[in-house]
Amino acid sequence: MKILVTGAAGFIGSHLTRHLLREKQWGVVGVDKLTYAGRRETLADVADEPGFVFVRADVADAAVMRRVFQAHRPDAAVHLAAESHVDRSIDGPEAFIQTNIVGTARLLEVTREYWQGLGGKARGQFRFLHVSSDEVYGTLDETAPPLNEDASYRPRSPYSASKAAADHLVRAWYHTWGLPVLLTNCSNNYGPWQFPEKLVPTVILKALRREPIPVYGDGRQIRDWLHVGDHVRALVTVLEQGQPGGTWHVGAGCERQNIDLVEQLCSIMDERVLTGTREAFRHASLIRFVADRPAHDSRYAMDAGKLMAETSWRPREEFSTGLRATVDWYLANRGWWEAILGEGFRMERLGLADSTGRAAS
């Protein structure tokens, strides 16, 4: 198998690329525009592996993507390329509309042309897997059950609206032309190589640098946390076993309030950094509550029952061990994130804190 992965130099895309190359022994054509969050360094450990080809390209450039398909002849495509940070969508929605909506539409059309030109078995086996978010469903009441695949879309931010639009386009290409699409919606991911603007690395790096750790509002927003390794295994499972036109939710059933997650990370940092010292300092003392962001959804929770009923997939990573391993990775890989901070990016530009103290969550 040869899989085209868009957004391959991003967080989830790089993990998927490693899994496909090393666990499945499949070929990968990694496509990435290499914007601020897509970095070749994230793929450095697989750059020379047999079966891996990297192409710097924008999925919204139909002519280039058409050449990529024709040159490499993939057996399937996994579409991960997206602008994904809610704060950035509030500050500048245009990029989200261009990449997430226009880019997805053009990629779908290029894929349809390629798929229709395939013959026999290759055409029957081809799949287009679109990776989406729990945020398309909007906020969930604290007492409501986790959402299943029949939930209604209620996006409330430019980011979630752009992802919702992309989901609708994917289904339209299936119903109109029969393009064999698969669609997944996942909960919040965490793990190594996550760009520093996201909540988990934000807290780790702020704590390590002993800088204030901003928390939106009262910090009681609830998220379901999924280790990126479990997510990647779910994507491969859907790619191999999912029936075209279907949707699957991917979640770990690990709901936490933001403030509880931040405090847990601070405790882990105490263990890793302060153990053996005589310091009375505790990282939780850095927590600062700041003004909430606009349209901040109070809760996301995904019901992965369909995926677990139809396949053998189950989340494997325990949250406490996964979180500790993530902290350890950032402590052991300072060169990766220090290079990001050193390339003219200040903490403010990364979304770690702007002039008002705002942080990603």
Side-chain angles (χ1 to χ4, degrees), residues 67 87 100 116 151 165 177 203 219 239 242 252 293 314 325 346:
R67 291 196 294 271
D87 282 8
N100 299 356
Q116 289 178 331
W177 291 285
V203 176
L239 191 63
R293 76 178 176 208
R314 300 290 185 277
R346 297 178 306 168

Side-chain angles (χ1 to χ4, degrees), residues 36-315:
Y36 75 96
R39 305 179 62 80
R40 289 294 297 269
E41 295 86 351
T42 306
L43 294 169
D45 60 324
V46 297
D48 298 324
E49 292 208 9
F52 179 59
V53 176
F54 180 81
V55 181
R56 183 173 186 175
D58 183 352
V59 294
D61 190 331
V64 170
M65 292 308 302
R66 192 172 289 113
R67 291 196 294 271
V68 171
F69 270 93
Q70 292 303 321
H72 299 285
R73 313 295 297 176
D75 300 296
V78 182
H79 182 34
L80 280 153
E83 295 284 347
S84 65
H85 191 43
V86 176
D87 282 8
R88 288 182 182 271
S89 79
I90 295 171
D91 293 338
E94 180 66 28
F96 290 74
I97 294 168
Q98 179 65 25
T99 297
N100 299 356
I101 302 177
V102 176
T104 298
R106 290 179 179 166
L107 180 63
L108 283 166
E109 189 61 3
V110 169
T111 304
R112 179 180 71 85
E113 293 172 4
Y114 170 76
W115 167 71
Q116 289 178 331
L118 294 174
K121 186 178 180 180
R123 180 169 177 173
Q125 292 182 341
F126 185 86
R127 297 290 185 269
F128 180 96
L129 171 55
H130 174 67
V131 183
S132 189
S133 166
D134 54 5
E135 298 194 37
V136 299
Y137 298 109
T139 193
L140 183 64
D141 186 80
E142 187 172 343
T143 61
L147 296 171
N148 63 27
E149 290 79 2
D150 294 324
S152 298
Y153 277 36
R154 297 184 302 168
R156 305 195 326 148
S157 71
Y159 162 65
S160 58
S162 68
K163 290 297 289 185
D167 292 3
H168 293 321
L169 290 172
V170 170
R171 293 190 177 98
W173 258 252
Y174 169 72
H175 289 292
T176 305
W177 291 285
L179 181 68
V181 306
L182 310 162
L183 198 150
T184 60
N185 298 84
C186 71
S187 58
N188 279 39
N189 280 217
Y190 73 98
W193 282 290
Q194 190 170 30
F195 199 74
E197 68 187 354
K198 298 294 186 175
L199 178 58
V200 170
T202 290
V203 176
I204 296 169
L205 300 190
K206 281 288 194 179
L208 186 61
R209 296 157 69 100
R210 297 199 179 183
E211 297 177 357
I213 302 171
V215 175
Y216 276 137
D218 59 8
R220 299 190 183 280
Q221 302 86 4
I222 297 171
R223 301 294 184 260
D224 174 13
W225 290 94
L226 173 70
H227 191 274
V228 65
D230 284 332
H231 186 198
V232 162
R233 288 190 304 103
L235 295 180
V236 175
T237 299
V238 170
L239 191 63
E240 292 185 301
Q241 302 180 38
Q243 292 300 307
T247 299
W248 295 265
H249 285 180
V250 188
C254 181
E255 295 185 49
R256 297 288 189 279
Q257 291 186 348
N258 283 347
I259 185 59
D260 292 337
L261 170 64
V262 172
E263 290 177 345
Q264 187 172 354
L265 284 167
C266 286
S267 294
I268 296 170
M269 288 294 294
D270 289 347
E271 296 172 8
R272 296 300 195 252
V273 177
L274 301 178
T275 299
T277 72
R278 296 182 178 181
E279 284 193 82
F281 173 81
R282 291 295 178 264
H283 291 93
S285 65
L286 299 170
I287 295 173
R288 302 289 186 272
F289 293 97
V290 300
D292 211 347
R293 76 178 176 208
H296 197 179
D297 293 332
S298 61
R299 178 183 173 226
Y300 304 133
M302 303 293 275
D303 180 356
K306 177 183 175 183
L307 178 61
M308 292 191 285
E310 294 182 356
T311 74
S312 62
W313 179 87
R314 300 290 185 277

